[in-house]
């Protein structure tokens, strides 16, 4: 598995201390945790897991994300408008297009490995949940990359614990649940929503297309009259940041400087937050659109606690589902309410919340002693996460208190 490096001074990235890898944002390949989880309180054992996972590493979603930069560069080359660097870039983008053609939007080999690894660690960390013929329920949106992620995950579970009773499903109704938008959410997503003009202005101010284009085009008149420089820069950012997920043999490491990479990460990190999280202008519309999904988590947990026999509920969806869900839940680092679009990246970082194969896990624990409460631990990307309520012990919350808090949200 190859990871790209930007061979320039990292000090130019910004005082925000975002590394070149992290600047891939939502394209950042999943990083398995290096720290150990804290042990559960004495007498408690895990018995149920509620999970939501983003699909793993993938090819860029559609043909135009590869074809548009190729077409722009090819036309400029025919017009004699490219620098030697631009010609080198054209050759590499053409090779990448050829390599990825027919796979647009598909889960990559790395994406399958990510979900297999998460599943195997889940079994290793919580063997009591996956004992004998435990019943596991898995659901996915209809997107093939999500279905493939679910398959990789459940296959790894079955390999680690062959006696499991695993049921998998993918349906429009599941997609509808994960992607539900309230009337307020639909209005906020509309093409004439006020935030769109606000972001367009931010994009105009921050897009580093001038410096990127200067290295590619030798003919400024051609550049100014024939090229959408912002579009080309955006597409190149996608190609560069998605390259580690594809494990391509095409080297794109010199396309963007460290400062350009940071500027582009900031732009798309800001857009993800403004469009899908707790931006003040949204009046929580996007968060509240995830109420049905949060109720699904709560209701299924209640049913498992009541003894319905389910040991795990696994869900496979998208970053646009996970970002507002974690914000609605109030997880630390996910729900910042920001009213200044210029300050989003100070408080919200997409690569921490929703890299490729991002996952939210609620681990439930029980104690056989009479009167002992059910406990829950929250994990975001397999790392302990916290709610703004008092924990009963370390990272462990009384489910009754956590449930009440989530319902209030």
């Amino acid at each position: 598995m190859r990871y790209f490096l930007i061979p320039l001074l990292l000090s130019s990235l910004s005082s925000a201390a975002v590394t070149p890898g992290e600047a891939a944002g939502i394209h950042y390949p999943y990083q398995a945790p290096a720290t150990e989880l804290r042990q559960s309180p004495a007498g408690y054992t895990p018995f149920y897991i509620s999970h939501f996972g983003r699909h793993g590493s993938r090819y860029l979603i559609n043909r135009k994300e590869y074809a548009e930069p190729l077409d722009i560069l090819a036309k400029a080359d025919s017009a004699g408008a490219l620098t030697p660097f631009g010609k080198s870039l054209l050759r590499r983008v053409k090779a990448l297009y050829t390599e990825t053609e027919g796979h647009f939007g598909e889960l990559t080999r790395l994406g399958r490995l990510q979900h297999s690894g998460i599943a195997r660690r889940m079994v290793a960390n919580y063997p009591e949940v996956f004992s004998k013929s435990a019943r596991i329920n898995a659901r996915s949106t209809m997107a093939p990359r999500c279905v493939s992620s679910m398959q990789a995950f459940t296959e790894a579970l079955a390999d680690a614990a062959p006696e499991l009773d695993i049921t998998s499903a993918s349906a429009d109704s599941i997609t509808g649940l994960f992607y539900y938008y309230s009337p307020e959410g639909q209005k906020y997503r509309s093409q004439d929503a006020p935030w769109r003009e606000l972001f367009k202005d931010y994009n105009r101010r921050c897009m580093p297309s001038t410096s990127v284009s200067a290295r590619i085009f030798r003919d400024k008149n051609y550049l100014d009259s024939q090229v959408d420089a912002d579009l080309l820069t955006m597409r190149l950012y996608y190609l560069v940041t998605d390259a580690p997920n594809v494990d391509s043999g095409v080297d794109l490491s010199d396309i963007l400087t460290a400062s350009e990479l940071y500027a582009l990460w900031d732009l798309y990190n800001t857009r993800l937050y403004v469009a899908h999280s707790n931006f003040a202008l949204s009046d929580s519309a996007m968060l509240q659109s995830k109420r049905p999904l949060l109720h699904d988590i709560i209701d299924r947990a209640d049913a498992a606690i009541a003894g319905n026999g389910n040991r795990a509920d696994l869900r496979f969806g998208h970053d646009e589902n996970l970002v507002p869900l974690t914000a609605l839940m109030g997880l630390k680092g996910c729900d910042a309410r920001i009213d200044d679009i210029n300050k989003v990246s100070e408080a919200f970082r997409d690569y921490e919340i929703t890299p490729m194969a991002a996952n939210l896990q609620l681990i439930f624990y029980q104690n056989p002693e009479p009167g002992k409460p059910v406990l829950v631990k929250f994990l975001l990307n397999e790392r302990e996460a916290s709610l703004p309520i008092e924990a009963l012990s370390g990272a462990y919350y009384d489910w009754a208190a956590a449930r009440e808090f989530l319902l209030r949200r």
Side-chain angles (χ1 to χ4, degrees):
M1 177 170 43
R2 296 173 2 130
Y3 289 89
F4 71 92
L5 297 174
I6 303 298
L8 295 170
L9 292 176
L10 300 190
S11 59
S12 63
L13 269 175
S14 159
S15 60
V18 177
T19 70
E22 292 167 343
I26 64 170
H27 291 153
Y28 188 39
Y30 190 75
Q31 306 295 306
T35 56
E36 293 185 2
L37 300 172
R38 285 178 280 189
Q39 289 187 342
S40 58
Y44 277 91
T45 56
F47 71 97
Y48 171 70
I49 295 176
S50 183
H51 156 279
F52 189 100
R54 183 193 178 198
H55 60 75
S57 289
R58 54 157 172 75
Y59 295 88
L60 293 178
I61 292 175
N62 53 54
R63 179 183 180 277
K64 72 177 182 181
E65 293 182 293
Y66 294 97
E68 284 181 340
L70 177 59
D71 291 345
I72 291 171
L73 293 169
K75 289 177 182 177
D77 187 46
S78 297
L82 292 181
T83 64
F85 176 78
K87 289 178 176 291
S88 168
L89 178 59
L90 170 59
R91 289 193 294 271
R92 287 180 281 167
V93 171
K94 185 176 182 179
L96 186 62
Y97 177 86
T98 300
E99 189 174 304
T100 58
E101 188 173 14
H103 298 290
F104 309 132
E106 290 181 7
L107 197 71
T108 63
R109 175 179 173 274
L110 177 58
R112 293 181 179 86
L113 290 173
Q114 289 162 346
H115 279 288
S116 294
I118 295 166
R120 292 182 186 280
R121 287 189 294 276
M122 187 181 283
V123 174
N125 289 334
Y126 313 106
E128 300 90 342
V129 174
F130 300 97
S131 61
K132 299 181 181 179
S133 56
R135 194 168 73 209
I136 310 298
N137 178 267
R139 293 175 293 159
S140 166
T141 70
M142 295 289 284
R145 57 189 175 277
C146 294
V147 175
S148 296
S149 295
M150 177 175 66
Q151 290 172 340
F153 198 106
T154 55
E155 286 169 5
L157 288 182
D159 183 61
E163 295 183 12
L164 291 176
D165 177 11
I166 302 174
T167 301
S168 301
S170 177
D172 287 334
S173 60
I174 297 168
T175 303
L177 171 63
F178 295 177
Y179 266 110
Y180 170 76
Y181 293 103
S182 66
E184 294 81 7
Q186 292 177 24
K187 183 177 180 181
Y188 188 73
R189 296 177 71 239
S190 66
Q191 291 303 310
D192 58 353
W195 70 266
R196 294 189 184 276
E197 281 302 317
L198 189 66
F199 180 76
K200 283 181 182 178
D201 176 67
Y202 188 73
N203 189 80
R204 282 192 292 267
R205 289 187 284 114
C206 300
M207 176 68 74
S209 53
T210 300
S211 60
V212 173
S213 299
R215 293 194 298 278
I216 299 172
F217 299 95
R218 59 182 293 273
D219 186 335
K220 191 174 186 305
N221 289 332
Y222 180 91
L223 170 63
D224 292 342
S225 63
Q226 301 297 322
V227 177
D228 184 336
D230 285 357
L231 174 64
L232 177 61
T233 301
M234 177 189 73
R235 292 300 186 214
L236 291 177
Y237 173 69
Y238 283 4
L239 293 180
V240 168
T241 56
D242 195 56
N245 299 294
V246 176
D247 196 19
S248 169
V250 181
D251 182 11
L252 305 177
S253 62
D254 61 342
I255 293 178
L256 300 171
T257 67
S259 58
E260 290 164 352
L261 187 64
Y262 174 80
L264 286 159
W265 166 76
D266 172 70
L267 272 176
Y268 294 106
N269 178 68
T270 298
R271 192 188 189 285
L272 180 69
Y273 173 82
V274 170
H276 297 288
S277 193
N278 201 19
F279 191 46
L281 194 62
S282 74
D283 196 27
S284 299
M286 302 311 287
L287 274 60
Q288 293 304 318
S289 289
K290 294 302 152 225
R291 290 170 65 185
L293 180 53
L294 182 53
H295 272 291
D296 182 73
I297 291 171
I298 294 170
D299 292 346
R300 286 175 179 265
D302 287 345
I305 292 168
N308 73 342
N310 256 21
R311 304 304 294 275
D313 281 295
L314 311 172
R315 305 164 183 85
F316 296 87
H318 306 261
D319 56 333
E320 295 176 3
N321 314 140
L322 188 60
V323 166
L325 173 63
T326 55
L328 176 61
M329 294 174 68
L331 291 180
K332 184 178 180 181
C334 302
D335 71 331
R337 186 173 178 84
I338 305 167
D339 58 9
D340 185 349
I341 196 171
N342 299 287
K343 297 182 178 180
V344 168
S345 294
E346 296 176 11
F348 177 89
R349 298 187 178 186
D350 51 5
Y351 58 84
E352 294 179 346
I353 301 171
T354 185
M356 294 294 188
N359 56 96
L360 170 69
Q361 299 178 29
L362 282 66
I363 318 297
F364 289 80
Y365 297 76
Q366 61 188 358
N367 189 315
E369 291 186 25
K372 291 290 187 179
V374 170
L375 302 186
V376 62
K377 177 170 64 176
F378 297 84
L379 301 179
L380 180 59
N381 299 324
E382 301 180 87
R383 296 159 177 85
E384 291 174 353
S386 60
L387 294 180
I389 60 174
E390 185 176 357
L392 194 66
S393 173
Y396 297 84
Y397 295 85
D398 183 333
W399 170 239
R403 181 182 187 279
E404 181 182 356
F405 169 79
L406 293 174
L407 288 173
R408 288 202 309 270
R409 295 284 293 187

